[in-house]
Protein backbone atom coordinates (compact mmCIF):
# COMPACT_ATOMS: atom_id res chain seq x y z
CA UNK A 1 0.00 0.00 0.00
CA UNK A 2 1.68 3.23 -1.11
CA UNK A 3 1.11 6.51 0.72
CA UNK A 4 -1.63 8.75 -0.64
CA UNK A 5 -0.47 11.85 -2.55
CA UNK A 6 -4.00 13.12 -3.21
CA UNK A 7 -7.51 12.25 -2.02
CA UNK A 8 -8.18 8.63 -2.94
CA UNK A 9 -10.65 5.89 -2.12
CA UNK A 10 -8.59 2.73 -1.95
CA UNK A 11 -10.63 -0.42 -2.56
CA UNK A 12 -9.22 -3.70 -1.33
CA UNK A 13 -10.56 -6.45 -3.59
CA UNK A 14 -9.06 -9.19 -1.39
CA UNK A 15 -11.16 -7.85 1.49
CA UNK A 16 -14.20 -8.01 -0.79
CA UNK A 17 -13.40 -11.64 -1.56
CA UNK A 18 -13.01 -12.35 2.16
CA UNK A 19 -16.43 -10.82 2.93
CA UNK A 20 -18.08 -12.73 0.10
CA UNK A 21 -16.58 -16.03 1.26
CA UNK A 22 -17.53 -15.29 4.88
CA UNK A 23 -21.16 -14.52 4.01
CA UNK A 24 -21.32 -17.54 1.71
CA UNK A 25 -20.01 -19.79 4.50
CA UNK A 26 -23.24 -18.95 6.39
CA UNK A 27 -25.41 -20.37 3.58
CA UNK A 28 -26.50 -23.82 2.51
CA UNK A 29 -24.69 -25.00 -0.62
CA UNK A 30 -27.66 -24.46 -2.94
CA UNK A 31 -28.69 -21.01 -1.64
CA UNK A 32 -28.02 -18.41 -4.33
CA UNK A 33 -26.12 -15.22 -3.60
CA UNK A 34 -27.33 -11.90 -4.93
CA UNK A 35 -24.87 -9.02 -4.59
CA UNK A 36 -26.46 -5.60 -4.12
CA UNK A 37 -24.32 -3.11 -6.08
CA UNK A 38 -26.69 -0.13 -6.13
CA UNK A 39 -25.38 3.41 -5.63
CA UNK A 40 -21.96 2.68 -7.20
CA UNK A 41 -21.61 -0.46 -5.05
CA UNK A 42 -22.24 1.55 -1.90
CA UNK A 43 -20.00 4.39 -2.99
CA UNK A 44 -17.06 2.30 -4.18
CA UNK A 45 -17.24 1.43 -7.90
CA UNK A 46 -20.05 -0.74 -9.24
CA UNK A 47 -18.35 -1.84 -12.46
CA UNK A 48 -15.13 -3.00 -10.82
CA UNK A 49 -16.90 -4.60 -7.82
CA UNK A 50 -19.53 -6.38 -9.93
CA UNK A 51 -16.95 -7.76 -12.36
CA UNK A 52 -14.84 -9.02 -9.47
CA UNK A 53 -17.86 -10.66 -7.83
CA UNK A 54 -19.03 -12.09 -11.15
CA UNK A 55 -15.65 -13.85 -11.48
CA UNK A 56 -15.99 -15.13 -7.89
CA UNK A 57 -19.28 -16.79 -8.83
CA UNK A 58 -22.04 -14.50 -7.57
CA UNK A 59 -25.40 -15.67 -8.97
CA UNK A 60 -27.35 -12.44 -9.22
CA UNK A 61 -26.91 -8.68 -8.97
CA UNK A 62 -29.31 -5.97 -7.82
CA UNK A 63 -29.35 -2.24 -8.43
CA UNK A 64 -31.95 0.35 -7.48
CA UNK A 65 -32.58 2.02 -10.84
CA UNK A 66 -32.57 1.03 -14.48
CA UNK A 67 -29.67 3.31 -15.48
CA UNK A 68 -27.47 1.56 -12.91
CA UNK A 69 -28.26 -1.77 -14.59
CA UNK A 70 -27.48 -0.33 -18.03
CA UNK A 71 -24.05 0.77 -16.75
CA UNK A 72 -23.34 -2.75 -15.46
CA UNK A 73 -24.27 -4.33 -18.79
CA UNK A 74 -21.99 -1.85 -20.56
CA UNK A 75 -19.22 -2.88 -18.15
CA UNK A 76 -19.52 -6.55 -19.09
CA UNK A 77 -21.90 -7.96 -16.48
CA UNK A 78 -23.75 -10.93 -17.99
CA UNK A 79 -25.34 -12.39 -14.84
CA UNK A 80 -29.01 -11.55 -14.17
CA UNK A 81 -29.61 -8.07 -12.76
CA UNK A 82 -32.64 -7.33 -10.57
CA UNK A 83 -33.76 -3.69 -10.63
CA UNK A 84 -35.28 -3.00 -7.22
CA UNK A 85 -37.05 0.24 -8.04
CA UNK A 86 -37.68 0.45 -11.79
CA UNK A 87 -39.68 3.38 -13.10
CA UNK A 88 -42.10 2.78 -15.96
CA UNK A 89 -40.69 5.56 -18.14
CA UNK A 90 -37.54 3.42 -18.65
CA UNK A 91 -39.15 -0.01 -19.22
CA UNK A 92 -38.11 -0.17 -22.89
CA UNK A 93 -34.49 0.39 -21.89
CA UNK A 94 -34.83 -2.22 -19.15
CA UNK A 95 -35.91 -4.82 -21.71
CA UNK A 96 -33.27 -3.76 -24.22
CA UNK A 97 -30.57 -4.43 -21.59
CA UNK A 98 -32.14 -7.66 -20.26
CA UNK A 99 -32.67 -6.22 -16.77
CA UNK A 100 -35.27 -7.81 -14.50
CA UNK A 101 -37.83 -5.56 -12.80
CA UNK A 102 -39.11 -5.75 -9.26
CA UNK A 103 -42.89 -5.48 -9.66
CA UNK A 104 -44.52 -4.06 -6.56
CA UNK A 105 -48.06 -2.99 -7.39
CA UNK A 106 -50.91 -3.48 -9.85
CA UNK A 107 -50.15 -0.33 -11.81
CA UNK A 108 -46.52 -1.22 -12.47
CA UNK A 109 -47.46 -4.82 -13.28
CA UNK A 110 -49.91 -3.69 -15.95
CA UNK A 111 -47.53 -1.06 -17.31
CA UNK A 112 -44.77 -3.63 -17.59
CA UNK A 113 -46.94 -6.23 -19.34
CA UNK A 114 -48.04 -3.56 -21.78
CA UNK A 115 -44.47 -2.51 -22.71
CA UNK A 116 -43.14 -6.10 -22.75
CA UNK A 117 -45.92 -7.36 -24.99
CA UNK A 118 -45.44 -4.38 -27.30
CA UNK A 119 -41.76 -5.43 -27.44
CA UNK A 120 -42.96 -8.98 -28.30
CA UNK A 121 -41.44 -10.56 -25.20
CA UNK A 122 -42.36 -14.08 -24.05
CA UNK A 123 -41.91 -15.23 -20.45
CA UNK A 124 -39.87 -12.14 -19.54
CA UNK A 125 -38.48 -12.67 -16.01
CA UNK A 126 -40.00 -10.45 -13.32
CA UNK A 127 -39.70 -10.39 -9.54
CA UNK A 128 -42.82 -9.97 -7.42
CA UNK A 129 -42.17 -7.87 -4.33
CA UNK A 130 -44.41 -8.15 -1.26
CA UNK A 131 -44.69 -5.73 1.60
CA UNK A 132 -44.51 -7.66 4.87
CA UNK A 133 -44.00 -4.75 7.25
CA UNK A 134 -41.45 -2.27 5.90
CA UNK A 135 -44.29 -0.36 4.26
CA UNK A 136 -42.07 0.97 1.51
CA UNK A 137 -42.65 -0.92 -1.78
CA UNK A 138 -44.64 -4.07 -2.34
CA UNK A 139 -47.92 -5.80 -3.02
CA UNK A 140 -50.12 -6.62 -0.06
CA UNK A 141 -51.28 -10.06 0.99
CA UNK A 142 -54.72 -9.46 -0.50
CA UNK A 143 -53.27 -8.75 -3.97
CA UNK A 144 -52.50 -12.45 -4.56
CA UNK A 145 -55.73 -13.15 -6.46
CA UNK A 146 -55.20 -10.13 -8.68
CA UNK A 147 -51.60 -11.19 -9.43
CA UNK A 148 -52.67 -14.74 -10.20
CA UNK A 149 -55.50 -13.57 -12.49
CA UNK A 150 -53.23 -11.20 -14.35
CA UNK A 151 -50.50 -13.80 -14.80
CA UNK A 152 -52.96 -16.44 -16.03
CA UNK A 153 -53.98 -14.14 -18.88
CA UNK A 154 -50.53 -13.53 -20.35
CA UNK A 155 -47.47 -15.41 -21.63
CA UNK A 156 -45.48 -12.17 -21.78
CA UNK A 157 -43.98 -12.49 -18.30
CA UNK A 158 -42.82 -15.21 -15.93
CA UNK A 159 -42.24 -14.90 -12.18
CA UNK A 160 -38.53 -15.53 -11.64
CA UNK A 161 -38.72 -14.78 -7.93
CA UNK A 162 -40.96 -13.64 -5.11
CA UNK A 163 -39.33 -11.50 -2.44
CA UNK A 164 -39.75 -9.17 0.49
CA UNK A 165 -37.49 -6.94 2.56
CA UNK A 166 -36.91 -6.99 6.32
CA UNK A 167 -37.41 -3.76 8.26
CA UNK A 168 -35.15 -4.39 11.27
CA UNK A 169 -33.04 -7.51 10.68
CA UNK A 170 -30.05 -5.93 12.47
CA UNK A 171 -32.05 -5.10 15.61
CA UNK A 172 -32.47 -8.12 17.88
CA UNK A 173 -34.94 -6.15 20.02
CA UNK A 174 -37.25 -6.40 17.00
CA UNK A 175 -36.87 -10.16 16.65
CA UNK A 176 -40.60 -10.84 17.10
CA UNK A 177 -41.42 -8.32 14.35
CA UNK A 178 -38.86 -9.85 11.99
CA UNK A 179 -40.04 -13.41 12.66
CA UNK A 180 -43.54 -12.24 11.88
CA UNK A 181 -42.37 -10.74 8.56
CA UNK A 182 -40.74 -14.08 7.70
CA UNK A 183 -43.90 -15.98 8.65
CA UNK A 184 -46.12 -13.64 6.62
CA UNK A 185 -43.81 -14.06 3.63
CA UNK A 186 -44.03 -17.86 3.88
CA UNK A 187 -47.82 -17.75 3.95
CA UNK A 188 -47.92 -15.42 0.94
CA UNK A 189 -45.44 -17.43 -1.11
CA UNK A 190 -47.18 -20.73 -0.41
CA UNK A 191 -50.45 -19.29 -1.69
CA UNK A 192 -48.95 -17.60 -4.72
CA UNK A 193 -46.78 -20.53 -5.86
CA UNK A 194 -49.80 -22.82 -5.58
CA UNK A 195 -51.88 -20.39 -7.62
CA UNK A 196 -49.34 -20.00 -10.44
CA UNK A 197 -48.33 -23.67 -10.50
CA UNK A 198 -44.54 -23.26 -10.60
CA UNK A 199 -41.83 -22.42 -8.07
CA UNK A 200 -40.06 -19.08 -8.39
CA UNK A 201 -37.00 -18.33 -6.23
CA UNK A 202 -37.91 -16.99 -2.78
CA UNK A 203 -35.79 -14.44 -0.91
CA UNK A 204 -36.14 -12.08 2.04
CA UNK A 205 -32.72 -11.69 3.73
CA UNK A 206 -30.38 -8.70 3.47
CA UNK A 207 -26.94 -8.83 5.17
CA UNK A 208 -28.24 -8.78 8.75
CA UNK A 209 -30.96 -11.24 7.74
CA UNK A 210 -28.23 -13.62 6.54
CA UNK A 211 -26.35 -13.25 9.83
CA UNK A 212 -29.29 -13.30 12.25
CA UNK A 213 -31.99 -15.44 10.59
CA UNK A 214 -30.38 -18.55 9.05
CA UNK A 215 -33.80 -20.22 8.91
CA UNK A 216 -34.94 -17.54 6.44
CA UNK A 217 -32.22 -17.85 3.78
CA UNK A 218 -34.69 -19.65 1.47
CA UNK A 219 -33.50 -19.91 -2.18
CA UNK A 220 -31.43 -16.74 -2.34
CA UNK A 221 -30.05 -13.96 -0.12
CA UNK A 222 -29.33 -10.32 -1.00
CA UNK A 223 -26.22 -8.79 0.52
CA UNK A 224 -24.96 -5.24 0.22
CA UNK A 225 -23.31 -3.77 3.30
CA UNK A 226 -21.73 -7.09 4.37
CA UNK A 227 -19.81 -7.35 1.11
CA UNK A 228 -18.41 -3.89 1.78
CA UNK A 229 -17.27 -4.94 5.24
CA UNK A 230 -19.91 -3.91 7.78
CA UNK A 231 -22.05 -6.35 9.76
CA UNK A 232 -24.29 -3.96 11.73
CA UNK A 233 -23.02 -5.44 15.00
CA UNK A 234 -19.73 -5.44 16.89
CA UNK A 235 -19.49 -9.21 16.65
CA UNK A 236 -20.02 -9.36 12.89
CA UNK A 237 -17.83 -6.33 12.19
CA UNK A 238 -14.97 -8.46 13.52
CA UNK A 239 -15.65 -11.14 10.90
CA UNK A 240 -15.81 -8.71 7.99
CA UNK A 241 -13.24 -6.32 6.49
CA UNK A 242 -14.14 -2.81 5.31
CA UNK A 243 -13.08 -2.76 1.66
CA UNK A 244 -12.72 1.00 1.24
CA UNK A 245 -10.15 3.38 2.77
CA UNK A 246 -10.54 7.10 2.24
CA UNK A 247 -7.19 8.87 2.38
CA UNK A 248 -5.81 12.29 1.69
CA UNK A 249 -2.76 14.42 2.51
CA UNK A 250 -1.88 17.60 4.38
CA UNK A 251 -1.77 20.50 1.91
CA UNK A 252 -0.73 23.23 4.36
CA UNK A 253 -0.01 23.73 8.05
CA UNK A 254 -0.69 26.98 9.92
CA UNK A 255 0.07 28.17 13.40
CA UNK A 256 -2.64 30.48 14.75
CA UNK A 257 -2.52 32.74 17.78
CA UNK A 258 -5.03 32.65 20.63
CA UNK A 259 -8.28 34.33 19.49
CA UNK A 260 -7.69 33.78 15.76
CA UNK A 261 -10.40 32.01 13.79
CA UNK A 262 -10.34 29.21 11.23
CA UNK A 263 -12.54 28.90 8.17
CA UNK A 264 -15.83 30.35 6.97
CA UNK A 265 -17.99 32.35 9.36
CA UNK A 266 -15.11 32.21 11.86
CA UNK A 267 -16.79 29.13 13.33
CA UNK A 268 -13.65 28.01 15.16
CA UNK A 269 -11.75 30.34 17.48
CA UNK A 270 -8.48 29.12 19.01
CA UNK A 271 -8.25 29.39 22.82
CA UNK A 272 -4.43 29.21 22.70
CA UNK A 273 -1.66 28.97 20.10
CA UNK A 274 -2.72 26.13 17.81
CA UNK A 275 -1.48 24.22 14.80
CA UNK A 276 -3.97 23.48 12.02
CA UNK A 277 -3.75 21.40 8.84
CA UNK A 278 -5.74 22.04 5.67
CA UNK A 279 -6.78 18.93 3.72
CA UNK A 280 -7.96 18.65 0.08
CA UNK A 281 -11.35 17.05 0.81
CA UNK A 282 -14.68 18.73 1.53
CA UNK A 283 -18.44 18.42 1.40
CA UNK A 284 -18.35 18.05 -2.39
CA UNK A 285 -16.34 14.87 -1.84
CA UNK A 286 -18.83 13.45 0.65
CA UNK A 287 -17.65 14.77 4.00
CA UNK A 288 -20.81 16.63 4.96
CA UNK A 289 -20.92 19.85 6.97
CA UNK A 290 -22.34 17.77 9.83
CA UNK A 291 -18.79 16.48 10.46
CA UNK A 292 -17.45 20.00 11.06
CA UNK A 293 -17.05 21.86 14.32
CA UNK A 294 -15.26 19.03 16.12
CA UNK A 295 -17.86 16.32 15.53
CA UNK A 296 -15.78 14.30 13.09
CA UNK A 297 -12.06 13.57 13.08
CA UNK A 298 -9.31 12.23 10.84
CA UNK A 299 -6.24 10.17 11.72
CA UNK A 300 -2.70 11.46 11.13
CA UNK A 301 0.32 9.32 12.04
CA UNK A 302 -1.93 7.22 14.28
CA UNK A 303 -3.44 10.16 16.16
CA UNK A 304 -6.92 11.66 15.95
CA UNK A 305 -7.24 15.22 14.67
CA UNK A 306 -10.69 16.83 15.07
CA UNK A 307 -12.22 18.67 12.12
CA UNK A 308 -12.43 22.33 13.18
CA UNK A 309 -14.75 25.04 11.90
CA UNK A 310 -17.12 24.62 9.00
CA UNK A 311 -16.47 21.99 6.33
CA UNK A 312 -15.79 23.81 3.02
CA UNK A 313 -16.76 22.52 -0.42
CA UNK A 314 -13.25 21.36 -1.25
CA UNK A 315 -11.35 21.45 2.04
CA UNK A 316 -11.45 20.76 5.74
CA UNK A 317 -9.19 22.08 8.47
CA UNK A 318 -8.15 19.86 11.38
CA UNK A 319 -6.48 20.53 14.70
CA UNK A 320 -2.97 19.04 14.78
CA UNK A 321 -1.69 20.99 17.80
CA UNK A 322 -0.47 17.84 19.55
CA UNK A 323 0.38 15.77 16.48
CA UNK A 324 3.84 15.35 15.02
CA UNK A 325 3.26 15.80 11.26
CA UNK A 326 4.35 17.72 8.16
CA UNK A 327 2.87 19.06 4.95
CA UNK A 328 2.51 16.14 2.51
CA UNK A 329 1.87 13.55 5.25
CA UNK A 330 -0.87 11.01 4.65
CA UNK A 331 -4.24 11.48 6.40
CA UNK A 332 -6.77 8.70 6.99
CA UNK A 333 -10.43 9.72 6.89
CA UNK A 334 -11.52 6.11 7.36
CA UNK A 335 -10.00 2.69 6.82
CA UNK A 336 -10.16 -0.83 8.26
CA UNK A 337 -8.98 0.38 11.71
CA UNK A 338 -10.59 3.79 12.02
CA UNK A 339 -13.80 2.75 10.32
CA UNK A 340 -16.46 4.59 8.37
CA UNK A 341 -18.94 3.30 10.93
CA UNK A 342 -17.07 5.05 13.78
CA UNK A 343 -16.85 8.30 11.82
CA UNK A 344 -20.52 8.04 10.80
CA UNK A 345 -21.49 7.67 14.46
CA UNK A 346 -19.93 11.07 15.25
CA UNK A 347 -22.60 12.56 12.99
CA UNK A 348 -25.35 10.34 14.32
CA UNK A 349 -25.64 8.45 11.08
CA UNK A 350 -24.75 5.00 9.74
CA UNK A 351 -21.90 3.58 7.65
CA UNK A 352 -24.28 3.19 4.68
CA UNK A 353 -24.76 6.97 4.42
CA UNK A 354 -21.11 7.96 4.78
CA UNK A 355 -19.72 5.43 2.28
CA UNK A 356 -22.38 6.04 -0.37
CA UNK A 357 -21.72 9.79 -0.15
CA UNK A 358 -18.11 9.66 -1.38
CA UNK A 359 -18.48 11.58 -4.60
CA UNK A 360 -17.34 10.63 -8.06
CA UNK A 361 -14.67 13.36 -7.84
CA UNK A 362 -12.61 11.14 -5.54
CA UNK A 363 -10.22 8.90 -7.45
CA UNK A 364 -10.75 5.16 -6.93
CA UNK A 365 -7.71 2.88 -6.64
CA UNK A 366 -8.03 -0.90 -6.61
CA UNK A 367 -5.74 -3.17 -4.62
CA UNK A 368 -5.69 -6.73 -5.96
C1 LIG B 1 -30.33 -2.22 -0.34
C2 LIG B 1 -31.13 -3.47 -0.28
C3 LIG B 1 -30.55 -4.69 0.16
C4 LIG B 1 -29.16 -4.77 0.77
O1 LIG B 1 -29.22 -4.53 2.15
P1 LIG B 1 -27.91 -4.61 3.08
O2 LIG B 1 -28.39 -4.27 4.44
O3 LIG B 1 -26.96 -3.58 2.54
O4 LIG B 1 -27.37 -5.99 2.93
C5 LIG B 1 -31.30 -5.84 0.05
N1 LIG B 1 -32.58 -5.80 -0.43
C6 LIG B 1 -33.17 -4.66 -0.81
C7 LIG B 1 -34.58 -4.68 -1.28
C8 LIG B 1 -32.48 -3.45 -0.73
O5 LIG B 1 -33.09 -2.30 -1.08
Amino acid sequence: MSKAQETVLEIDLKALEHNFEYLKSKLQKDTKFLAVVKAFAYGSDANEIANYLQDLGVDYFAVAYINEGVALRNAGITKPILVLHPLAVNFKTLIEYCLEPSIYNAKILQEFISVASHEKQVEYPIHIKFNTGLNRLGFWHNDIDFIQNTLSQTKTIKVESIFSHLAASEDLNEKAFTLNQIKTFKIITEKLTKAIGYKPLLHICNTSGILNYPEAHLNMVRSGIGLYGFGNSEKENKNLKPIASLKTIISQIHTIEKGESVGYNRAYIGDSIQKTATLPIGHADGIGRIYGNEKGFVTINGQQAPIIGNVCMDMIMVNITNIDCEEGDEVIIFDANSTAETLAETANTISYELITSISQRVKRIFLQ
Side-chain angles (χ1 to χ4, degrees), residues 183-256:
K183 193 174 117 203
T184 306
F185 184 64
K186 284 200 171 143
I187 294 168
I188 290 170
T189 53
E190 265 163 38
K191 270 195 204 159
L192 186 57
T193 47
K194 209 184 234 169
I196 62 178
Y198 56 93
K199 288 205 162 120
L201 296 172
L202 309 179
H203 48 112
I204 192 168
C205 283
N206 62 344
T207 299
S208 291
I210 296 171
L211 299 170
N212 296 331
Y213 297 93
E215 71 278 18
H217 290 173
L218 309 176
N219 305 122
M220 184 156 79
V221 295
R222 307 185 303 271
S223 178
I225 199 76
L227 287 171
Y228 308 111
F230 299 95
N232 297 330
S233 78
E234 245 172 71
K235 173 172 160 270
E236 293 298 349
N237 284 344
K238 288 203 183 82
N239 296 319
L240 296 161
K241 298 181 181 170
I243 69 162
S245 301
L246 182 60
K247 300 176 173 181
T248 187
I249 60 164
I250 298 177
S251 297
Q252 191 173 10
I253 292 177
H254 294 288
T255 301
I256 60 162

Side-chain angles (χ1 to χ4, degrees), residues 309-335:
N310 288 319
V311 169
C312 312
M313 189 184 297
D314 313 306
M315 282 170 260
I316 53 178
M317 279 71 90
V318 298
N319 191 338
I320 54 161
T321 303
N322 298 311
I323 301 177
D324 185 17
C325 57
E326 293 172 26
E327 291 174 354
D329 278 3
E330 183 175 80
V331 177
I332 307 293
I333 314 291
F334 57 72
D335 67 2

Side-chain angles (χ1 to χ4, degrees), residues 84 106 112 289 305 332 361:
L84 295 165
F112 187 70
R289 292 181 86 249
I332 307 293
R361 184 164 80 173

Side-chain angles (χ1 to χ4, degrees), residues 10 16 29 38 106 179 223 249 258 292 366-367:
E10 234 174 50
L16 176 66
K29 277 238 154 3
K38 62 194 181 193
L179 290 174
S223 178
I249 60 164
K258 178 178 173 178
F366 300 92
L367 306 178

Side-chain angles (χ1 to χ4, degrees), residues 4-172:
Q5 293 178 291
E6 61 184 320
T7 301
V8 292
L9 189 70
E10 234 174 50
I11 295 154
D12 181 350
L13 295 169
K14 279 280 166 267
L16 176 66
E17 179 173 4
H18 165 88
N19 298 334
F20 173 61
E21 294 299 340
Y22 175 74
L23 293 162
K24 242 181 45 166
S25 75
K26 301 281 167 188
L27 309 179
Q28 305 279 332
K29 277 238 154 3
D30 56 353
T31 304
K32 291 183 189 291
F33 195 106
L34 178 153
V36 180
V37 293
K38 62 194 181 193
F40 303 104
Y42 288 42
S44 56
D45 183 302
N47 296 347
E48 212 42 62
I49 297 289
N51 270 297
Y52 196 79
L53 290 170
Q54 181 165 263
D55 292 345
L56 289 178
V58 152
D59 301 288
Y60 242 96
F61 289 101
V63 291
Y65 299 111
I66 292 169
N67 63 349
E68 296 180 299
V70 169
L72 288 183
R73 286 281 181 250
N74 288 335
I77 297 302
T78 53
K79 288 278 164 83
I81 301 172
L82 163 59
V83 181
L84 295 165
H85 198 167
L87 298 174
V89 64
N90 300 317
F91 275 161
K92 233 183 114 179
T93 308
L94 174 135
I95 293 169
E96 190 185 331
Y97 285 85
C98 295
L99 307 171
E100 304 177 4
S102 159
I103 298 293
Y104 53 85
N105 68 5
K107 182 168 181 284
I108 202 118
L109 176 59
Q110 280 159 341
E111 282 170 332
F112 187 70
I113 292 172
S114 153
V115 176
S117 62
H118 188 261
E119 297 294 311
K120 308 212 167 23
Q121 297 298 313
V122 179
E123 299 198 338
Y124 196 94
I126 66 159
H127 301 259
I128 302 280
K129 169 87 175 282
F130 276 93
N131 173 30
T132 55
L134 182 59
N135 292 326
R136 193 171 71 173
L137 286 181
F139 283 104
W140 287 74
H141 194 165
N142 56 13
D143 292 320
I144 293 176
D145 288 344
F146 167 82
I147 297 169
Q148 196 252 326
N149 274 332
T150 310
L151 290 170
S152 69
Q153 288 164 32
T154 178
K155 286 226 166 349
T156 303
I157 53 171
K158 182 192 75 182
V159 181
E160 190 67 25
S161 87
I162 309 171
F163 75 111
S164 186
H165 195 33
L166 298 172
S169 56
E170 73 284 5
D171 184 354
L172 295 176

